[in-house]
Amino acid sequence: MTKPQLLIDTDPGVDDALAIMMAHAHADIAALSVAAGNVGLGHTVRNARTLRDLLGATFPVFAGCATPLVRAQDEDAAFVHGMDGLGDVGFPEPKAAAEDEAAALALLRLTRERPGELTLVALAPLTNLALALRLDPTLPQRVKRLVVMGGAVTGHGNTGRIPAEFNIGFDPEAAHVVFEAFPRFDLVDWEATLRHGFDDAEFDAWLAAGDQRAAFFGKVFRTARDYNAKHDRSGVVAADALAMAVAIDPSIVTRSETRAVAVELDGRLTRGATVVDWASRLGRPAQARIVLEVDQARFAAMVRKALGAA
């Protein structure tokens, strides 16, 4: 069976790290394009390079946008991921540098070189994708699939603006551009990731049974686990990993709804919220396949293999 070919837009980030490890274990990574989000761009680019070293991989890393498209953002997720985005472990300087080409330009070039081959996996705020679309609106025609980790489809978000999920809330204008441009994409939202968490003891057993990847992830995950414990969030919530599972194997989805989804740009309390037309009242094209349930056993098996615990 031919491995999926993935082009990953990311902002590593602890859960991004697990997702990238999954991609390396189950697919071929064409490149990482990197945005600011969980932490600043300097950290996210370095973290992408650190992950490349960990995996012994050679895929290129492209640095992208350091800020949202329109409004400056003063909220990141360092309180979950650590100030450096990887749990403040203090990894050595990665071996190879990032490429000189800007991420948005790399997204356009790679999809032109390989039209219809690449699944685009968006794990970060959608700034790089939006900029690429503004440069070339034909981008969706060359992408095999788009899988987005973002949103909170019934308003149970994870930011200071209660209905908003972090990736969409970090750059709502970018999300608006992407959601309007793609005629079809898979949406793996924050609420779905909460329904598909892993038992703590079970996950610890995987870490104990794994190889150097498990040892790495155990270290970088400590800050996030401490945060979860203090905020009554039980289990291991692996948001980007769930989106990656859907990208690698779409048949893992057992329940979904295809609906029109838009992004609120102006609300004082709701800016960044994903608004779903559940009852098809607006007459807009239903462009988002909203992932509601996946085969949890298969998802777990994919994570275990990524940790070397299969």
Side-chain angles (χ1 to χ4, degrees):
M1 183 171 144
T2 304
K3 286 186 175 183
Q5 307 294 304
L6 305 181
L7 182 52
I8 303 170
D9 192 69
T10 180
D11 60 336
V14 174
D15 56 337
D16 301 74
L18 183 57
I20 291 164
M21 289 159 60
M22 287 173 63
H24 186 260
H26 296 276
D28 289 332
I29 301 175
L32 301 183
S33 61
V34 183
N38 286 320
V39 288
L41 186 68
H43 288 306
T44 57
V45 171
R46 176 179 170 139
N47 294 345
R49 295 163 55 217
T50 295
L51 286 160
R52 179 172 59 185
D53 287 355
L54 169 74
L55 298 170
T58 58
F59 50 74
V61 172
F62 299 96
C65 294
T67 63
L69 287 183
V70 178
R71 298 192 194 178
Q73 178 59 258
D74 58 5
E75 180 184 2
D76 64 17
F79 57 94
V80 177
H81 297 267
M83 296 305 295
D84 70 354
L86 286 181
D88 297 321
V89 173
F91 295 106
E93 178 66 21
K95 296 174 184 175
E99 306 298 317
D100 290 334
E101 187 177 18
L105 298 178
L107 291 172
L108 295 177
R109 176 179 58 78
L110 289 167
T111 57
R112 287 169 183 153
E113 292 172 355
R114 302 174 63 180
E117 294 182 19
L118 298 172
T119 294
L120 182 52
V121 191
L123 307 178
L126 293 168
T127 317
N128 289 336
L129 274 67
L131 182 56
L133 283 162
R134 285 300 190 238
L135 293 171
D136 182 358
T138 69
L139 171 63
Q141 300 169 25
R142 300 191 300 276
V143 172
K144 184 176 182 179
R145 293 172 60 216
L146 170 64
V147 179
V148 174
M149 191 282 123
V153 298
T154 64
H156 295 263
N158 61 348
T159 71
R161 293 183 302 279
I162 294 169
E165 175 274 335
F166 179 82
N167 282 347
I168 306 303
F170 189 89
D171 194 344
E173 282 77 16
H176 168 76
V177 169
V178 173
F179 284 19
E180 292 283 308
F182 275 83
R184 185 61 57 92
F185 59 91
D186 287 345
L187 184 67
V188 180
D189 85 312
W190 172 246
E191 296 165 24
T193 68
L194 293 177
R195 292 193 296 273
H196 292 87
F198 300 113
D199 176 78
D200 282 295
E202 181 181 33
F203 197 85
D204 284 338
W206 301 346
L207 293 178
D211 57 19
Q212 79 280 359
R213 294 167 291 178
F216 172 93
F217 192 75
K219 292 177 183 177
V220 303
F221 193 37
R222 286 172 188 160
T223 299
R225 294 193 93 167
D226 289 345
Y227 174 86
N228 289 343
K230 291 175 183 176
H231 292 80
D232 295 324
R233 187 183 292 166
S234 61
V236 175
V237 178
D240 291 338
L242 183 63
M244 186 59 70
V246 172
I248 292 166
D249 182 3
S251 73
I252 201 172
V253 178
T254 58
R255 187 165 71 94
S256 64
E257 298 278 355
T258 301
R259 294 289 186 270
V261 179
V263 179
E264 174 58 51
L265 300 180
D266 300 313
R268 181 172 63 87
L269 299 177
T270 58
R271 174 172 157 79
T274 39
V275 180
V276 182
D277 186 7
W278 289 110
S280 302
R281 295 175 182 172
L282 300 180
R284 296 166 59 98
Q287 87 283 37
R289 183 178 77 143
I290 301 167
V291 173
L292 298 173
E293 302 290 341
V294 308
D295 185 322
Q296 186 73 0
R298 289 169 61 188
F299 177 32
M302 295 170 78
V303 172
R304 288 198 306 271
K305 182 175 180 180
L307 296 170

